[in-house]
Amino acid sequence: MAASRTVPVPIDAVGAMPLHVWVPPAGSGPAVLLIQEIFGVGPYIRAVANRLCEAGYVVGAPEVFWRFAPGWEAGHDEAGLAASMEQVGKLDSAAAATDCVAAFRALRALDEVDGIPGVMGFCLGGSLAWSVAAAAEPAVCVSYYGSGVPSMLDQIDHVACPTLFHFGNADAFIPNDGVEAINAAIDRRPGFVLNVENAGHAFDNHESEMFYDESAAQAAWAKTMAFLGEHLPAG
C-alpha cells in the first residue's frame, strides 16, 4: 500500500477539509480526485487509491463528512451501513459538492500533479463526481453507481469532459428507469459512455460481502482503466 499524506483544504471560514493524497512511485503524474462512498475514506477507498497509484496516478481522496463527522470510517456490514446512512442524512449535498470542487482545485495545485486532474466516485461519490464534472472542468469523469445522477441530468450541458458511468442492472437503490434516463440523455453526445454490469449496487466494493461482485468489478475496472488510458494517460 502506497503511503499517503493529508493536505488541509481551507473552506471559507468554516474550517479545512482533509484531502488524503497518494503519490505514485514516479513521484508525479496525472491526478484523480477519488470521492468516497458512504463508509468514509476507509480500507476500500484506500485500496482503490492504491490501484490508481500503482497505475501511475496521484490520488486525492477528500473526507466528504468532515463538517460533522471528521475521520469517519465504518465497517462494510449491516451495522456500518446503518451508521453510514445516518451520516448521509446529515449531509448538505450542495455544500458537499462545493467542498469537492475545492478539493479538486487543491489537488490540481499540488507540485506532484501534471495537468488537469480527473474525478472518480463511488455511490455517494459517484453523484458528487458528476457535480464536480459540471462545475470544475476535470479532464475525465468516472461515476460508479451514483444514485443522484438521474435527478441531476439537467447539469449535462455543463459537463465538457469524457464521462463513463457504471451501473448494475440489479441495483436495488437505483431503478433501471433512472439508468435508462441517463442513456437517453447521453445519446449522440460524444465522450459519454454508459456501462451496465449484471450486478447489484456497489459491486466494486470488495470489503462488503453484501455487495461485492468479483466478475462485475473486474469487468468494470478494466473499462475504467481503458477509459482513463484514453483520456488521462499515465506512465
Side-chain angles (χ1 to χ4, degrees):
M1 181 72 71
S4 69
R5 72 179 192 271
T6 303
V7 174
V9 180
I11 307 292
D12 298 326
V14 180
M17 180 186 204
L19 177 68
H20 301 272
V21 176
W22 293 259
V23 177
S28 64
V32 175
L33 184 74
L34 174 62
I35 307 180
Q36 66 174 74
E37 18 77 301
I38 64 175
F39 301 101
V41 183
Y44 167 65
I45 291 298
R46 291 196 294 268
V48 175
N50 198 57
R51 283 188 236 165
L52 290 167
C53 206
E54 288 179 346
Y57 294 95
V58 178
V59 182
E63 289 189 15
V64 174
F65 297 159
W66 72 279
R67 291 173 181 263
F68 50 85
W72 176 260
E73 289 187 29
H76 295 252
D77 52 13
E78 291 285 0
L81 177 62
S84 295
M85 291 300 292
E86 285 186 18
Q87 300 303 332
V88 173
K90 304 173 188 176
L91 188 69
D92 180 324
S93 296
T98 300
D99 291 348
C100 287
V101 169
F104 174 85
R105 291 173 177 156
L107 179 63
R108 182 176 181 178
L110 295 181
D111 291 340
E112 298 96 334
V113 171
D114 299 333
I116 300 171
V119 61
M120 179 186 300
F122 294 81
C123 191
L124 168 66
S127 301
L128 289 169
W130 179 243
S131 292
V132 172
E137 300 185 355
V140 64
C141 173
V142 180
S143 173
Y144 274 78
Y145 29 80
S147 60
V149 175
S151 64
M152 299 159 63
L153 290 173
D154 58 341
Q155 298 183 20
I156 195 166
D157 288 335
H158 300 290
V159 179
C161 66
T163 299
L164 171 60
F165 298 102
H166 293 294
F167 290 97
N169 60 9
D171 192 326
F173 297 93
I174 306 174
N176 284 333
D177 59 1
V179 179
E180 290 167 4
I182 294 170
N183 191 44
I186 68 174
D187 184 42
R188 299 181 184 177
R189 287 180 181 261
F192 288 85
V193 178
L194 172 63
N195 174 54
V196 179
E197 298 290 343
N198 290 317
H201 190 68
F203 57 76
D204 187 72
N205 188 346
H206 59 265
E207 290 286 330
S208 174
E209 293 184 4
M210 292 185 292
F211 297 126
Y212 182 53
D213 186 310
E214 183 177 8
S215 177
Q218 291 181 353
W221 189 253
K223 292 164 187 170
T224 291
M225 294 311 296
F227 200 74
L228 290 178
E230 179 179 0
H231 300 292
L232 188 65

